[in-house]
Amino acid sequence: MDLNPPAGENYANPKTCLFHVIFKAAALAFYILSALFVNNFVIIFVVTVLLAALDFWVVKNVSGRILVGLRWWNEINDLGESIWKFESLDQESLARMNKKDSWLFWWTLYLTAAAWILLAIFSLIRLQADYLLVVGVCLTLGIANIVGFTKCRKDAKQKIQQFASQTIASRVTSTIQSAFSVV
Amino acid sequence: MSHADTIPLHQSSQSDIDEIENLINASVQSGPATVLPARPPSPPRASIPVVSSSPSPFIQSHLPPPSAPPPPPPPSSSTSSQKVPSVSIGVTGFGPAANTLTEPVWDTVKRDLARIVSNLKLVVFPNPYREDPGKALRDWDLWGPFFFIVFLGLALSWSASVKKSEVFAVAFALLAAGAVILTLNVLLLGGHIIFFQSLSLLGYCLFPLDVGAIICMLKDNVILKVIVVCVTLAWSSWAAYPFMSSAVNPRRKALALYPVFLMYVSVGFLIIAID
């Protein structure tokens, strides 16, 4: 994955990209600026965590679907076991996904997590346990999305490979059968 | 996250999402149980009515994208029409995967809100499925607990006349860490629960205490506070009891339940003692 956006095309879903970025940026900005200007921890906590939770929801349910065609969730089946379910578009649609969209999607996820880790280190150094709590919650949400989507992407690749090998296998058998029927 | 057991899906999730919605409807109406057609990846589920032979989800999925109302701002209308071809290609590809992937955002919001409400009703109010932990919060979600914990912290912080920030931080940390530790407690006692399901349940059981906190915030009479807190505490414990007790060995029931009760009692004291 390179550091520069792929050239030659525009974003296919500008509004979704905007929403994907805006909540993350708002949470980070509010946290950083309010630590300077606002003296009320409760407000900082509630607004930052709310923005982070909204961002988590938007990424998981909206921008993941639209920008990269992936979705993940957890279900509990009848036996009481928890199953992680992954869902992805089929291969043609995945190939047709806008490269710039998916570049933005993944890079903003990673960069936001790195930013929160940095802020966590700062609050550790300053020994502020309550701010560390805020940063911890936001970091957890960011990492959850990263892990979920990475697993979903691997699962999608696996499915594509399986499908491809199935198709090849079925074509080989049908070719052999037709060869024998001719003979 | 734990329990990362991926099942490769060839036909996935339209039927799963339908199952979830049907479960929500079924839990509201206590509907009849019908047997699902068995699908290769997952075990047959005996109690959820499902709409899941392959052709039908596609017929359904052709309907929502074209006839959906103009989607709300985030997905532009060009994307919803762009996705329609993928639905038909998906028939031969990976099964009914495209259906929830292409739904309008408003549908997702409504589905999540409906799930919060149904989870709240399942946990806190009497209903026939309470005895089985597997059924108690099958579609767990953490939004409800998040709102309830934040709300309780805000209510306590509002009622406090000094040190509001510390009160909020303490309340939030106590409830969040408490839920995690209680879940670990059950797991270490050899119980069978799922981490997030239990977190979700303990969060939803805070709803009565939220109600109590609001009442105590509005009326400052000590005796009234004590009575209200006792009532809501009993309600919360009653809500949490079946799930926790059925998750562990009967001989260890008290060991699992006592910390839960203790946590709710301490929250109750916080509510009474705040002035």
Side-chain angles (χ1 to χ4, degrees):
Chain A
M1 217 177 276
D2 54 5
L3 272 168
N4 301 314
E9 43 179 344
N10 281 324
Y11 295 103
N13 303 293
K15 282 187 199 148
T16 313
C17 290
L18 177 71
F19 271 92
H20 177 80
V21 175
I22 203 171
F23 284 121
K24 294 188 182 41
L28 276 169
F30 187 82
Y31 178 79
I32 294 174
L33 294 176
S34 65
L36 298 172
F37 296 123
V38 175
N39 213 1
N40 186 347
F41 173 74
V42 177
I43 294 189
I44 298 177
F45 185 103
V46 172
V47 173
T48 311
V49 170
L50 195 64
L51 286 171
L54 280 174
D55 164 67
F56 177 84
W57 187 89
V58 164
V59 169
K60 183 167 181 287
N61 290 302
V62 177
S63 56
R65 274 198 281 135
I66 295 180
L67 297 182
V68 289
L70 300 169
R71 196 176 203 178
W72 60 276
W73 71 92
N74 176 286
E75 271 178 16
I76 300 181
N77 64 5
D78 257 9
L79 305 175
E81 295 158 354
S82 102
I83 306 177
W84 293 93
K85 287 256 159 85
F86 303 110
E87 185 184 5
S88 54
L89 290 178
D90 55 82
Q91 189 177 5
E92 290 93 343
S93 309
L94 276 180
R96 260 190 284 130
M97 284 276 147
N98 189 328
K99 296 284 181 295
K100 240 183 178 178
D101 278 355
S102 48
W103 174 87
L104 178 77
F105 179 84
W106 290 106
W107 271 105
T108 47
L109 275 182
Y110 296 141
L111 284 177
T112 334
W116 284 118
I117 291 179
L118 205 61
L119 290 170
I121 296 177
F122 281 160
S123 57
L124 262 179
I125 293 178
R126 290 199 215 153
L127 294 178
Q128 289 167 332
D130 36 8
Y131 285 96
L132 192 59
L133 186 64
V134 179
V135 176
V137 170
C138 300
L139 192 58
T140 309
L141 291 172
I143 291 185
N145 253 337
I146 292 180
V147 167
F149 276 110
T150 311
K151 284 197 171 160
C152 195
R153 192 167 54 159
K154 284 194 192 143
D155 184 74
K157 287 196 181 139
Q158 213 182 14
K159 275 196 286 186
I160 291 177
Q161 282 173 351
Q162 277 178 345
F163 180 67
S165 57
Q166 266 180 9
T167 318
I168 293 176
S170 63
R171 280 201 194 138
V172 164
T173 46
S174 65
T175 317
I176 294 179
Q177 280 174 354
S178 60
F180 273 116
S181 63
V182 164
V183 167
Chain B
M1 306 220 151
S2 52
H3 305 285
D5 187 23
T6 75
I7 296 180
L9 297 173
H10 296 291
Q11 352 158 348
S12 123
S13 344
Q14 162 53 17
S15 40
D16 293 334
I17 297 299
D18 271 350
E19 283 167 23
I20 294 177
E21 292 191 20
N22 288 327
L23 176 63
I24 291 174
N25 295 331
S27 69
V28 170
Q29 311 161 3
S30 303
T34 57
V35 178
L36 295 181
R39 292 178 324 207
S42 53
R45 308 175 186 213
S47 65
I48 302 174
V50 123
V51 177
S52 99
S53 55
S54 282
S56 55
F58 287 106
I59 299 174
Q60 285 176 2
S61 71
H62 277 295
L63 293 179
S67 68
S76 56
S77 54
S78 61
T79 63
S80 60
S81 56
Q82 176 193 342
K83 292 296 184 291
V84 172
S86 77
V87 170
S88 50
I89 296 173
V91 177
T92 55
F94 292 108
N99 208 308
T100 65
L101 282 169
T102 59
E103 65 181 4
V105 174
W106 186 233
D107 277 4
T108 316
V109 174
K110 275 196 299 196
R111 188 147 50 87
D112 281 346
L113 286 177
R115 184 160 54 169
I116 296 180
V117 170
S118 84
N119 275 340
L120 184 62
K121 282 198 287 204
L122 270 178
V123 169
V124 176
F125 300 107
N127 84 86
Y129 287 114
R130 295 207 68 213
E131 301 315 312
D132 185 352
K135 289 197 176 70
L137 264 184
R138 280 201 36 187
D139 311 318
W140 58 268
D141 72 294
L142 290 177
W143 282 107
F146 173 69
F147 287 131
F148 293 147
I149 293 182
V150 166
F151 189 79
L152 191 55
L154 283 175
L156 288 174
S157 166
W158 190 289
S159 320
S161 47
V162 293
K163 290 191 166 194
K164 289 180 184 265
S165 311
E166 278 90 338
V167 167
F168 180 84
V170 163
F172 186 92
L174 171 75
L175 290 166
V180 171
I181 293 176
L182 286 172
T183 312
L184 286 177
N185 180 40
V186 172
L187 285 173
L188 288 173
L189 281 174
H192 299 292
I193 51 166
I194 298 160
F195 187 73
F196 289 108
Q197 198 181 12
S198 161
L199 282 187
S200 180
L201 175 104
L202 288 168
Y204 274 108
C205 290
L206 282 175
F207 175 74
L209 285 169
D210 272 356
V211 171
I214 299 185
I215 300 179
C216 292
M217 195 167 74
L218 298 172
K219 294 287 243 172
D220 208 10
N221 185 343
V222 173
I223 301 196
L224 176 72
K225 277 190 186 179
V226 170
I227 296 176
V228 163
V229 164
C230 284
V231 167
T232 53
L233 180 65
W235 188 6
S236 282
S237 310
W238 172 82
Y241 172 81
F243 183 77
M244 284 293 178
S245 65
S246 52
V248 285
N249 196 321
R251 287 183 302 141
R252 299 184 173 168
K253 229 177 356 176
L255 279 176
L257 286 172
Y258 169 70
V260 178
F261 187 65
L262 191 63
M263 183 173 89
Y264 289 147
V265 164
S266 61
V267 175
F269 267 126
L270 266 181
I271 298 177
I272 297 180
I274 286 275
D275 65 344

